[in-house]
């Protein structure tokens, strides 16, 4: 017999069906036992006679196979609170597929009150919570709609390496020792920045990827060491082409997936950086007017300065990254007055959070070289670290630019979650630990030896 999904029972009145799922609740009413059975599609009430074998052993979260007939409930027994509330299933047989220990915490409520470390240690149970099922469902819907929209716009989804070479995005790299090359390391990508630019040199013209990015930054509440970006890059475009693509993409996502939300202003306001700093004292202003939970105030902050003063040492740092195109073609100006140069850089802001950023890129090798020099790189360093890019740019490079959207952050805002961990399937704690499997963890002395690494104990 084929399995029926619980949501479908509502339309199966009079039929004999087979259900699979978990015991959401179990109520003993003397002669009969009521089991609310739950699967990914919903919950339905199953009525079981006490005569059924083993029926009295069953407890919450046990996994069952129920065969029975779907019956309309008498009018006064209808439960309007659940989608299947007009029917119930009269069990003919109930088989236990798997028994369950008592879960360490409640799985039915929203879970906000429960200690988060325990929830993360038992994430596989926490994920049964309706709120997290909802969050992951929306996550999926958003990703698949973004893929569909970009596909329609002629984009190609291209994957890029995780074991890669360090690219500067302003954070520390996570590194992986290369066993076959003692002393050498792969870096986990802070973003696919260099690869996507190489794809433009490679003639792809329109690339996107739901890309995993890794940044070894100091811990902060709304940051994760690894996170997902909707990363994209386009050739032969101006800044406006990218901004309008993104605002149309978000408009479709909101209209189709979150129709109850209201985009405050469309097209999204374009706010020059200087004006934002003057009027709002922030480069990610919150432009909501009503502050009602359904309001989404998107805006682009544009015309960022190209360079800012280094904080830790003397000299200049890029405000975005070194590949960003300055708003001048004059190499002399860039070298002489770095502090005055604006860049073709833009951030996407939503309700006071930065949810994305990007830029047009330098595609002239001499300009790229000049920017590296302003940033204080020695010629040899430039050759060693970026020689491949400078070389690639000598083989015919299209003007290009792109953007990356932080998907976890975006989802947490539209799903009204205060914490991005609530929208990530297996997040790390604020202190960077993945408590379910216990990462990070020491490796064996044999592994260290194979990697030619030695662990120095702190004195
Ligand atoms: N790679 C950049 C970032 O991760 C985004 C971009 O410039 O496209 O912020």
């Amino acid at each position: 017999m084929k399995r029926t999904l619980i949501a479908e029972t509502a339309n199966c009145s009079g039929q004999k069906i087979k259900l699979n799922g978990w015991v959401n609740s179990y109520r003993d009413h003397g002669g009969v036992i009521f089991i609310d059975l739950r699967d990914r599609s919903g919950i339905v009430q199953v009525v079981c006679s006490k005569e059924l074998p083993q029926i009295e052993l069953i407890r919450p979260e046990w996994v069952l196979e129920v065969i029975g007939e779907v019956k309309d409930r008498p009018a006064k027994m209808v439960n309007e609170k659940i989608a299947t509330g007009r029917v119930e299933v009269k069990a003919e047989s109930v088989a236990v597929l798997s028994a369950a220990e008592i879960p360490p915490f409640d799985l039915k409520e929203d879970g906000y009150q429960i200690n988060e470390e325990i929830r993360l240690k038992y994430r596989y149970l926490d994920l049964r919570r309706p709120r997290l099922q909802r969050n992951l469902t929306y996550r999926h819907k958003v990703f698949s709609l973004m893929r569909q929209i970009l596909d329609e716009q002629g984009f190609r989804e291209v994957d890029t390496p995780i074991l890669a070479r360090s690219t500067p995005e302003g954070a520390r790299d996570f590194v992986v020792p290369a066993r076959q090359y003692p002393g050498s390391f792969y870096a986990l990508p802070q973003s696919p920045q260099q690869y996507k630019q190489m794809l433009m040199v490679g003639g792809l013209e329109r690339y996107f990827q739901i890309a995993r990015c890794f940044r070894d930054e100091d811990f902060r509440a709304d940051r994760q060491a690894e996170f997902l970006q909707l990363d994209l890059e386009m050739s032969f475009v101006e800044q406006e082409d990218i901004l309008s693509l993104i605002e149309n993409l978000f408009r479709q996502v909101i209209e189709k997936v979150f129709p109850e939300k209201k985009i405050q202003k469309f097209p999204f306001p374009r706010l020059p950086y200087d004006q934002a700093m003057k009027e709002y004292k922030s480069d990610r202003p919150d432009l909501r007017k009503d502050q009602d939970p359904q309001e989404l105030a998107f805006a682009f902050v544009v015309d960022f300065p190209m360079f800012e003063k280094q904080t830790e040492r003397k000299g200049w740092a890029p405000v975005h990254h070194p590949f960003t195109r300055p708003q001048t073609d004059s190499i002399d100006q860039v070298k002489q007055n770095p502090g005055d140069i604006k860049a073709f850089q833009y951030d996407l802001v939503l309700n006071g959070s930065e949810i994305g950023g990007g830029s047009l890129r330098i595609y002239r090798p001499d300009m790229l070289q000049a920017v590296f020099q302003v940033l204080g790189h020695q010629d040899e360093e430039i050759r060693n670290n970026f020689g491949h890019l400078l070389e690639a740019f000598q083989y015919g490079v299209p003007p290009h630019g792109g953007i990356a959207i932080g998907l976890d952050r975006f989802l947490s805002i539209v799903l009204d979650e205060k914490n991005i961990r609530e929208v990530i399937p297996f997040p790390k704690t604020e202190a960077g630990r993945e408590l379910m499997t216990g990462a990070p963890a020491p490796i064996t002395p044999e592994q260290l030896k194979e990697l030619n690494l030695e662990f120095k104990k702190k004195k």
Side-chain angles (χ1 to χ4, degrees), residues 169 190-191 193 196 215 229 231-233 320-321 357-359 361 402-404:
E169 290 275 5
Q190 295 185 33
S191 85
Q193 187 61 37
K196 67 175 176 173
R215 298 186 189 175
Q229 285 185 341
D231 188 47
L232 61 85
E233 195 76 8
H320 191 42
H321 51 53
S359 57
R361 324 297 184 192
I403 191 166

Side-chain angles (χ1 to χ4, degrees), residues 6 9 17-28 32-38 43-49 52 55 58 64-71 73 82 84 87-95:
I6 283 175
T9 54
I17 54 160
K18 181 171 98 180
L19 300 176
N20 288 132
W22 286 259
V23 174
N24 199 59
S25 68
Y26 179 100
R27 295 181 308 280
D28 189 339
V32 282
I33 286 164
F34 291 99
I35 291 175
D36 280 349
L37 195 69
R38 179 189 78 230
I43 291 182
V44 73
Q45 174 165 289
V46 179
V47 188
C48 311
S49 140
L52 289 169
I55 196 77
I58 291 173
L64 305 182
E65 176 168 295
V66 173
I67 294 178
E69 193 186 325
V70 183
K71 300 207 150 149
R73 295 200 205 184
I82 56 173
T84 61
V87 297
E88 60 190 10
V89 178
K90 175 96 182 60
E92 281 172 24
S93 74
V94 174

